[in-house]
Amino acid sequence: MIRIDLDSPEPLEDQLCKTLRSAIALREVEQGDMLPSVRQMASDLGIHWNTVARAYRRLQDSGLLSVRRGRGVFVKPIREAAEVDAQTTAKVSESIQETITNARLSGISLSAFRELALSEIKTWEARVS
Amino acid sequence: MIRIDLDSPEPLEDQLCKTLRSAIALREVEQGDMLPSVRQMASDLGIHWNTVARAYRRLQDSGLLSVRRGRGVFVKPIREAAEVDAQTTAKVSESIQETITNARLSGISLSAFRELALSEIKTWEARVS
DNA sequence: GCACACTGTATCTTTGTATGATACAGTAGT
DNA sequence: ACTACTGTATCATACAAAGATACAGTGTGC
C-alpha cells in the first residue's frame, strides 16, 4: 500500500509524503490508526529511518498526522470544510491546469481529458463511499 | 507571460520548464515562433542564462522546442495524437489522482472538485479555440 | 573571406539540499 | 528506576542546482 521507488530521481521523503497523503485521502488508513514506527516503516521500505521521521513531521505540519515521541504516529481525521478559502481553491486550480498542460502536450485532446478526469473522480467516489 | 518566482524552493529550471510548457500548450507562443535568446530570457527573468539554456534543452529533449546554436530557439508544432498510448494515459491518470488527493486533504469535496475541473477544462476550450 | 556580433554548448566551481549516522530525550510497562 | 520502545536534534557526506567562464557554430556586413 505504501510504496516508494528507490531508483526514482524524486526525493525519497517527497515520495513517502505523497504515498502517505494518498493513503490517508483514500482512507486506506483510518482516522486514529497508528502508523508503523519510523524504524519499522524505514525497514519495510529499505530506507533510512530518519527520512521516514522527516516525512512524518512534514505531514504533522500540514495537519494530517499526530506525532508524539515515545507514543507513536497517528492519523488525524480528514477535515471536511464547508467553506473552502480562495487560496486553497486557487492552488487546486493551478494543479488542474498543470495536469491539463501535460495531457495536451502528450497529444491528449481536451475532450479525452475530460472523460479521463470524470472517470477518475467516479473511481474515487466508489472507493471512499 | 513567462514568470518565475525567485523565492520559491522549486528549482528555477523546473519553474521555467513549467511556465514554458504552459505557454506552448496554451498557444501563447505559436508554432515556429522564435523564443528570446538564453541571455535575453535570463536577463528578463533575473536569473543566470545557463539555467535558461538547460531549460530550453530539456524542452528540446521532450520534443517541444528546436534549439540550434547560432540560430536560436524555435517552437515546434504540438503533436495531436489520434491514438494515445497506455503509458501516457497512465501518467496523466496518476497526475489527476494526485490532484484529487490534494483537493480532498484540503477539505474540497469530490463534487466540488468535479465542478472545478470541468470549469478549468471549459476555460481551456475557450482559450485554444 | 574575414571580422564581428550574435546564437547555444561544455565544463568547472560554488552552494544548498537530501540522505545517512549517531547521540539525545520523552513514554510506558515491568 | 530499569528497559525497551517511541520520535528529535545535530552533524557528515553525497549529490544536484545554479552560477562563472571558456568554447564553438551561424549569419551579416564589409
Side-chain angles (χ1 to χ4, degrees):
Chain A
M1 209 179 300
I2 306 295
R3 297 194 172 287
I4 62 173
D5 175 9
L6 296 175
D7 296 326
S8 164
E10 188 178 5
L12 302 174
E13 192 181 322
D14 291 3
Q15 286 186 59
L16 183 51
C17 279
K18 191 184 292 185
T19 186
L20 284 170
R21 288 167 59 83
S22 171
I24 295 168
L26 282 169
R27 301 183 202 275
E28 289 171 356
V29 293
E30 297 283 345
Q31 156 183 1
D33 280 0
M34 179 176 172
L35 294 182
S37 75
V38 293
R39 286 161 237 252
Q40 181 62 49
M41 174 73 83
S43 163
D44 293 348
L45 297 174
I47 64 181
H48 199 276
W49 54 269
N50 222 332
T51 303
V52 177
R54 279 187 276 253
Y56 279 172
R57 202 152 354 138
R58 265 170 61 179
L59 295 187
Q60 176 181 44
D61 292 345
S62 54
L64 270 51
L65 296 180
S66 166
V67 182
R68 288 294 135 86
R69 151 161 68 177
R71 310 274 313 275
V73 178
F74 302 86
V75 179
K76 301 226 292 193
I78 299 177
R79 68 188 173 99
E80 287 288 346
E83 296 269 323
V84 179
D85 64 288
Q87 192 185 355
T88 301
T89 305
K91 244 170 79 175
V92 172
S93 286
E94 193 180 336
S95 172
I96 294 172
Q97 285 166 27
E98 194 180 326
T99 305
I100 299 178
T101 297
N102 288 330
R104 288 287 300 123
L105 295 180
S106 302
I108 296 177
S109 72
L110 281 172
S111 58
F113 179 85
R114 185 195 297 112
E115 294 315 309
L116 207 51
L118 289 175
S119 156
E120 286 298 335
I121 294 170
K122 265 214 171 65
T123 304
W124 268 65
E125 281 169 339
R127 291 178 75 176
V128 301
S129 73
Chain B
M1 209 178 297
I2 306 294
R3 298 196 174 283
I4 62 173
D5 176 8
L6 295 175
D7 296 326
S8 165
E10 188 179 7
L12 302 175
E13 191 181 322
D14 291 3
Q15 286 186 58
L16 183 52
C17 280
K18 191 184 291 186
T19 185
L20 284 170
R21 289 167 58 84
S22 171
I24 295 169
L26 283 168
R27 302 184 201 276
E28 290 171 355
V29 294
E30 297 284 345
Q31 157 184 0
D33 280 359
M34 178 174 173
L35 294 183
S37 75
V38 291
R39 286 162 238 251
Q40 181 62 50
M41 174 71 83
S43 163
D44 294 347
L45 297 173
I47 64 181
H48 200 275
W49 52 269
N50 222 333
T51 303
V52 177
R54 281 186 276 253
Y56 279 172
R57 203 153 350 140
R58 265 169 60 179
L59 295 188
Q60 175 181 44
D61 292 345
S62 53
L64 269 51
L65 296 179
S66 166
V67 182
R68 288 295 136 86
R69 154 161 64 177
R71 310 274 312 276
V73 178
F74 302 88
V75 180
K76 301 227 291 191
I78 300 176
R79 68 189 172 99
E80 288 288 345
E83 295 269 322
V84 180
D85 64 288
Q87 193 185 355
T88 300
T89 306
K91 245 169 79 176
V92 172
S93 286
E94 193 180 335
S95 172
I96 294 172
Q97 286 167 27
E98 195 180 325
T99 305
I100 298 178
T101 297
N102 287 330
R104 288 288 298 125
L105 295 179
S106 303
I108 296 177
S109 71
L110 280 173
S111 57
F113 179 85
R114 186 196 295 111
E115 294 315 310
L116 206 52
L118 290 175
S119 155
E120 285 298 335
I121 293 170
K122 265 213 172 63
T123 304
W124 269 66
E125 281 170 338
R127 291 177 75 175
V128 301
S129 72

